[in-house]
Amino acid sequence: MANYQATPQPAADPGNTLGLVGLILAIIPCTSTIGLVLSIVAFIISRRAGFQNSKALAGIIIGIVWIGLSIIAQLTGFLTSMMQNLF
């Protein structure tokens, strides 16, 4: 009698939950740095396990955009205050 084994289910992505948390924190402007770091960690964990984590990738992109916008806003405020002090 033939002994058939069921095909194994693929393991769950180990960075999926961390990627979701990183994405949520990256969306909130005051926690975008924390979300960026968590998303990078989740992306690396998923990639090492052989999974593609699009939530972590989105968290990385959104975190970089928020940090870039905050740097631009701070530079704009600094330059505006310097210009007001000159005149």
Side-chain angles (χ1 to χ4, degrees):
M1 188 188 259
N3 187 8
Y4 295 105
Q5 294 180 352
T7 56
Q9 294 291 337
D13 183 3
N16 192 28
T17 303
L18 189 60
L20 181 62
V21 171
L23 174 63
I24 291 170
L25 290 176
I27 291 172
I28 304 168
C30 62
T31 61
S32 62
T33 306
I34 298 168
L36 175 63
V37 171
L38 290 178
S39 294
I40 290 171
V41 170
F43 188 76
I44 291 171
I45 290 171
S46 294
R47 189 174 56 180
R48 285 186 182 166
F51 290 95
Q52 196 173 20
N53 195 342
S54 58
K55 294 172 193 161
L57 183 61
I60 292 169
I61 294 169
I62 292 171
I64 289 172
V65 168
W66 272 120
I67 291 172
L69 288 175
S70 67
I71 290 172
I72 291 170
Q74 289 176 1
L75 287 175
T76 304
F78 174 73
L79 293 175
T80 303
S81 67
M82 293 300 290
M83 294 299 285
Q84 288 177 352
N85 289 339
L86 290 176
F87 299 108

